[in-house]
Amino acid sequence: MAFPQSNVQRELTRNKILEELQIQKKQLLLKQGATPTINSSPLTVSTQVVPNAEGGHSMNSHQQRAALQTAHAQSMGYFISQDSLFGNLILPVLPRFDQKKIEERLQCVTGFDKPKAKLEQYITPPHLGSHILYTIQSQFGDLDGKLVADLGCGCGALSIGAAVLSASLVVSFEIDEDALQIFQSNIEDHELTNIDIVQCNVLTIPSRFYKKFDTVLMNPPFGTKNNEGLDMKFLEVALNLSNNVVYSLHKTSTRNHVIKHANALGAKAEVLAELRYDLPATYKFHKKISVDIEVDFYRFTV
């Protein structure tokens, strides 16, 4: 049984992964080099400090309320005001997020331009993705401050959601260069600096990355048509990469098979929810406008 890493170990591992990515990306078929990032704009609150009757300083109450409202609006954390020698300061305290805000961010993620049927490329609906990410963090705390891998990340919806929820680092693996170009644009649009992308076949991720990640996320191919069994191959890779937990979606009709396979790999499988995946008509062979597919949302512990 593996145990979660301490904060010190996690930071060392994070740095090691970043070094490995920079050195080994060519071996992992990365074609575009290191991922450029854009620094997020710092929270700026303009305040006027005025002397008070006792010779100290304080902010105008109207300005204080405005500053506090600005802090709330621009942050994912709760803010309180605190008196000090220099006036009423606004300090961040408890983290704040809700499922609706996550969904709003995911709605701004650009999806596939020309999805490839052979890769079973479908977008993760914002409503579904936000519920998944909210559950992972609110019930288990498996994103904030964690080292996260996203397998078959596509255009990056789950990666972006994990980064927004303060993952220490998200490493996103994807084989399709076209999808990664869209993903890179999404990273820039969301001004995120805690995501690194790697172009490679998920099934060939080197063993040096095994047990390096606290949390592994994936919405893998369901293993249909010409990809039979691919979902279980993804699961095996995910369990190798994680030192703690894996979250994944699989068709409800395969539940017994998934649980049996996970147990054989030494993992404990728990179905957190049975969801309906609203799959829009994406390819020529789709005859209906959309189809609801029953999927299980799993938590695998290693």
Side-chain angles (χ1 to χ4, degrees), residues 1-235:
M1 178 179 180
F3 294 91
Q5 296 177 315
S6 67
N7 290 336
V8 174
Q9 291 173 323
R10 186 176 296 118
E11 185 63 24
L12 291 174
T13 302
R14 178 184 187 276
N15 292 337
K16 185 175 181 180
I17 289 175
L18 286 171
E19 292 173 2
E20 287 278 357
L21 288 173
Q22 296 305 320
I23 296 172
Q24 301 295 341
K25 276 185 178 180
K26 289 184 180 180
Q27 285 77 1
L28 291 176
L29 306 181
L30 185 70
K31 297 178 181 178
Q32 297 180 340
T35 303
T37 56
I38 300 177
N39 291 328
S40 299
S41 300
L43 174 66
T44 56
V45 181
S46 176
T47 61
Q48 179 181 354
V49 180
V50 297
N52 61 23
E54 298 178 356
H57 296 80
S58 65
M59 289 192 297
N60 177 278
S61 60
H62 175 72
Q63 291 175 325
Q64 182 179 347
R65 286 194 299 271
L68 187 58
Q69 290 172 354
T70 301
H72 274 295
Q74 297 185 8
S75 173
M76 290 296 286
Y78 284 112
F79 282 74
I80 59 172
S81 59
Q82 176 175 310
D83 292 330
S84 76
L85 179 63
F86 301 101
N88 294 318
L89 304 179
I90 294 178
L91 301 175
V93 285
L94 299 176
R96 177 188 65 177
F97 66 93
D98 57 54
Q99 186 259 323
K100 184 178 179 181
K101 288 187 177 295
I102 302 170
E103 183 174 354
E104 289 173 353
R105 292 295 291 266
L106 297 188
Q107 287 172 344
C108 298
V109 174
T110 302
F112 297 102
D113 184 23
K114 296 180 180 179
K116 300 176 175 64
K118 65 179 181 180
L119 297 178
E120 294 189 43
Q121 290 181 331
Y122 302 96
I123 63 169
T124 301
H127 184 67
L128 183 69
S130 63
H131 273 287
I132 290 171
L133 293 163
Y134 180 79
T135 299
I136 292 172
Q137 179 55 34
S138 64
Q139 294 191 20
F140 302 99
D142 283 328
L143 293 176
D144 187 0
K146 306 296 185 181
L147 290 170
V148 177
D150 183 5
L151 305 187
C153 61
C155 298
L158 292 180
S159 292
I160 287 172
V164 168
L165 289 172
S166 302
S168 174
L169 174 68
V170 181
V171 181
S172 308
F173 299 90
E174 171 61 46
I175 194 172
D176 183 32
E177 182 178 4
D178 294 333
L180 288 182
Q181 289 179 351
I182 297 172
F183 187 8
Q184 180 59 52
S185 296
N186 284 329
I187 292 174
E188 294 170 0
D189 290 343
H190 287 262
E191 298 187 346
L192 296 168
T193 61
N194 54 340
I195 298 178
D196 204 348
I197 58 178
V198 178
Q199 184 180 358
C200 72
N201 184 335
V202 166
L203 304 184
T204 63
I205 295 176
S207 59
R208 62 178 170 272
F209 289 109
Y210 287 5
K211 303 306 175 188
K212 299 296 186 182
F213 297 93
D214 303 305
T215 303
V216 177
L217 309 175
M218 62 178 187
N219 181 8
F222 288 144
T224 58
K225 293 193 175 291
N226 298 322
N227 294 324
E228 185 176 355
L230 191 57
D231 53 342
M232 293 298 95
K233 293 178 181 178
F234 264 65
L235 178 59

Side-chain angles (χ1 to χ4, degrees), residues 233-266:
K233 293 178 181 178
F234 264 65
L235 178 59
E236 184 172 350
V237 172
L239 293 173
N240 283 333
L241 293 174
S242 177
N243 59 53
N244 183 33
V245 67
V246 173
Y247 292 92
S248 183
L249 294 175
H250 298 274
K251 293 178 71 173
T252 300
S253 60
T254 65
R255 181 180 297 176
N256 291 338
H257 175 62
V258 171
I259 293 176
K260 182 179 180 180
H261 192 74
N263 291 339
L265 294 173

